[in-house]
Amino acid sequence: MALTTNKYVNEWVDEMAAMTKPDKIVLIDGSKEQIDALRDEACSTGEIIKLNQELLPDCYLHRTAVNDVARVEGRTFICTSKKEDAGNINNWMDPKECYAKLTKLYTGSMKGRTMYVIPYSMSAVGSPFAKYGIELTDSIYVVLNMVIMTRVGLDVLKALGDDAGFIKGLHAKADLDEENRYIVHFPEDNTIWSVNSGYGGNVLLGKKCFALRIASYLGRKEGWMAEHMLILGIEAPNGEVKYVTGAFPSACGKTNLAMLIPPEIYKKKGYKAWCVGDDIAWLRVGDDGRLWAVNPENGFFGVAPGTNEQSNPNALHTCMKNTIFTNVVHNLDNDTVWWEGLDKNPPANAIDWKGNKWDYTKYDKKDKSTCGAHPNSRFTASAANCPCLSSEFNNPAGVPISAIIFGGRRAKTAPLVYQARNWQHGVFVGSIMASETTAAATGAVGGVRRDPMAMRPFTGYDMGDYFGHWLAMGKKISNPPMIFNVNWFRTDDEGHFIWPGFGDNMRVVMWILARCAGEVDAVETPIGFVPKAEDIEIDGLDITVDTVRDLLDVDAALWKEELAGIDEFYKQIGDRVPKELYDELDALKARLG
Ligand code: OXD
Ligand code: MN
């Protein structure tokens, strides 16, 4: 019997099954009964471990293979027929060659296994933003994660109807062989193939692969944008909510900003903060000439270490029920979980992320190999669990965006906040985004990784063309968001962060919103407009206006040093970097004198 009523789906599933040769094919209908049964099966095989159902209802723990704990940028490819369309920043493989190479890896890989067919929607089914995908996988862990992260079920097939317009994703765990691990995208064929991995970012194909790499390609073709951005709403005491998006590279606090708790000074005046999304935004121009955004996901795939009652209580509460934890510590005394930075009480009787007995007394902050939880351990939790989830989360029209905020981790160069002069300058500001690598991550303190719009690992086509698309979008948005850049990470001479960060970042967002409303002045500098120090609210903080003044200082000498790095990066991207951005670079040079 045919699996669905859509012949394109049926034909493609048949073709993939003929290659991978599963024993069984199961269509995921999204029903509670089916998901419960799969969870039970995964528990019985040890693929997931049931946690304490009183303390952590419907929560489970999974451990990936030790060699399979993060996205693998070096093994991620964009396979366009012309190499130049993938660009210099992406890895490229010829599509024919890639299909042939991976066919060998997939052939017979599902023998003795079941192939699950997951119909899913990115953004609410039926929304003008919605795009549909089908992921084929031989992993129950993937099914259970996809059910949290996307909208899965038969209503997706109904909405798709007889159409061929779905993203075809194939995932096989195969042998989890690192040397043959591939995450490849065929944007011209609406196809994603992932093999030899079981780690979320590589195998939950709706997320980075579809909602960013393939979607960014589609967005350029169809006149919209797919961005690596959080979406945050700030509600004023009169009930009016203004929305901002924020693009920061990983480890720069996107989830924390998306779920921030307002500082007391705003809380007592009646301000509230609402999370629409923490990782991905799809943006379209509305009939009103504004930019409107949805979060296409349905859950959070958040980094666990460092999440605690102080840093992000909303995230912590979000993952206290129906959550899948991956690669965290298993506390055997009460069947709960733990990770570095959760609290000061590491469990004495525990199993680490590798599945070995863990001795917390041997933990040494400077030696990652002593961690109980992997530094990239995760929680997969439903957006519906989030205490500050926006009431507009499921609004098919999305939310109107007042400001776009770029940001990175810079010890000295970038001020706390500055505003771009206009859209084109804002695109320049996004294109020169950079983050300093920390000693913990790479051993090379102060190395700068250029990460334009935080999309370096996620753009499904040439980066120069991507900048061109941003510029083209600017021409279509008659009432565009204003563009800003923030830096929460300036340090003093001893290397300590000066700005308190976390919920206090709302103080900066409030200045940004005041600028958007034309309610506050600014000071012009060579790089853009910075606040007057006294316009950043510091009531309740342990810092003075003078400190804020220092945080806002623009050091022309440092920026002059920056110019060469920008030019070099543009050259590396290649000859599709738009002339307008070189004009902006020249103008900045001239303003710096
Ligand atoms: C990332 C993530 O790696 O969101 O950016 O997981
Ligand atoms: Mn991300």
Side-chain angles (χ1 to χ4, degrees), residues 47 61 63 68 94 97 230 251 294 337 352 411 445 460 484 563 581:
E47 188 175 353
L61 169 65
R63 293 188 202 105
D68 190 22
D94 173 70
E97 188 191 312
L230 66 91
V294 294
V337 289
D352 70 10
V445 185
F484 298 80
L563 296 173
L581 296 191

Side-chain angles (χ1 to χ4, degrees), residues 104-367:
K104 288 198 190 114
L105 301 176
Y106 281 117
T107 298
S109 65
M110 293 192 191
K111 266 190 199 146
R113 298 180 183 175
T114 301
M115 174 193 271
Y116 301 97
V117 179
I118 316 172
Y120 66 96
S121 174
M122 297 314 291
S123 72
V125 177
S127 145
F129 287 83
K131 296 260 176 207
Y132 307 125
I134 297 187
E135 175 163 355
L136 310 180
T137 179
D138 55 358
S139 156
I140 298 182
Y141 170 76
V142 168
V143 175
L144 299 177
N145 273 271
M146 284 293 284
V147 163
I148 297 174
M149 292 304 296
T150 72
R151 284 119 170 139
V152 167
L154 297 183
D155 54 340
V156 175
L157 288 176
K158 202 162 154 206
L160 179 64
D162 297 332
D163 211 85
F166 61 97
I167 305 298
K168 296 173 266 186
L170 173 65
H171 164 247
K173 284 187 290 188
D175 314 316
L176 298 178
D177 172 8
E178 247 176 312
E179 299 301 313
N180 279 310
R181 184 168 298 151
Y182 288 98
I183 320 299
V184 304
H185 308 71
F186 304 93
E188 293 155 358
D189 302 343
N190 284 340
T191 295
I192 305 160
W193 279 13
S194 163
V195 66
N196 275 311
S197 175
Y199 167 76
N202 300 327
V203 300
L204 307 180
L205 301 184
K207 193 173 178 63
K208 303 299 187 181
C209 299
F210 176 174
L212 288 176
R213 298 194 190 97
I214 296 286
S216 61
Y217 176 92
L218 293 176
R220 176 161 178 256
K221 226 168 58 172
E222 298 168 1
W224 55 282
M225 303 163 92
E227 298 297 331
H228 191 199
M229 288 175 171
L230 66 91
I231 310 169
L232 165 71
I234 300 288
E235 181 178 332
N238 67 3
E240 197 188 353
V241 188
K242 294 262 170 68
Y243 297 90
V244 301
T245 62
F248 312 134
S250 51
C252 292
K254 232 153 81 255
T255 305
N256 291 343
L257 186 64
M259 297 185 188
L260 72 79
I261 305 256
E264 217 39 57
I265 172 84
Y266 295 119
K267 240 197 244 171
K268 70 180 184 225
K269 286 184 189 157
Y271 284 91
K272 294 180 184 140
W274 301 108
C275 173
V276 183
D278 79 325
D279 196 40
I280 299 176
W282 283 1
L283 304 127
R284 287 177 182 270
V285 188
D287 294 338
D288 59 357
R290 288 191 292 175
L291 199 55
W292 289 70
V294 294
N295 168 10
E297 300 193 279
N298 203 27
F300 306 110
F301 183 60
V303 175
T307 305
N308 60 49
E309 257 328 323
Q310 280 72 46
S311 66
N312 195 338
N314 282 322
L316 198 60
H317 293 181
T318 301
C319 64
M320 287 296 119
K321 61 177 180 191
N322 34 55
T323 292
I324 301 170
F325 295 96
T326 302
N327 291 343
V328 298
V329 175
H330 186 189
N331 180 345
L332 294 177
D333 280 340
N334 60 3
D335 254 333
T336 59
V337 289
W338 191 86
W339 50 77
E340 279 71 18
L342 173 63
D343 55 37
K344 296 211 160 60
N345 309 308
N349 181 20
I351 302 285
D352 70 10
W353 70 272
K354 294 181 185 162
N356 301 323
K357 189 94 185 86
W358 182 55
D359 181 355
Y360 75 91
T361 61
K362 304 244 166 71
Y363 171 61
D364 169 7
K365 222 177 171 174
K366 289 189 219 85
D367 178 2

Side-chain angles (χ1 to χ4, degrees), residues 85-112:
D85 290 342
N88 293 337
I89 300 297
N90 284 314
N91 300 315
W92 175 84
M93 229 192 292
D94 173 70
K96 274 203 208 81
E97 188 191 312
C98 187
Y99 279 127
K101 188 179 185 120
L102 268 64
T103 293
K104 288 198 190 114
L105 301 176
Y106 281 117
T107 298
S109 65
M110 293 192 191
K111 266 190 199 146

Side-chain angles (χ1 to χ4, degrees), residues 410 412-413 436 446 448 450 555-568 585 588-589 592-593:
R410 301 305 299 263
K412 300 285 173 215
T413 321
E436 272 145 25
V448 170
R450 299 253 158 228
D555 184 331
L558 283 178
W559 276 91
K560 280 185 196 165
E561 282 172 29
E562 192 78 0
L563 296 173
I566 297 168
D567 190 62
E568 194 185 316
L585 181 58
L588 173 61
K589 218 178 278 181
L592 287 166

Side-chain angles (χ1 to χ4, degrees), residues 242-244 401-404 419 480-484 509-520:
K242 294 262 170 68
Y243 297 90
V244 301
I401 300 303
S402 298
I404 292 174
Q419 182 187 358
M482 294 188 175
I483 300 181
F484 298 80
V509 176
M510 292 299 283
W511 180 81
I512 287 172
L513 290 177
R515 276 302 279 173
C516 294
E519 291 166 359
V520 68

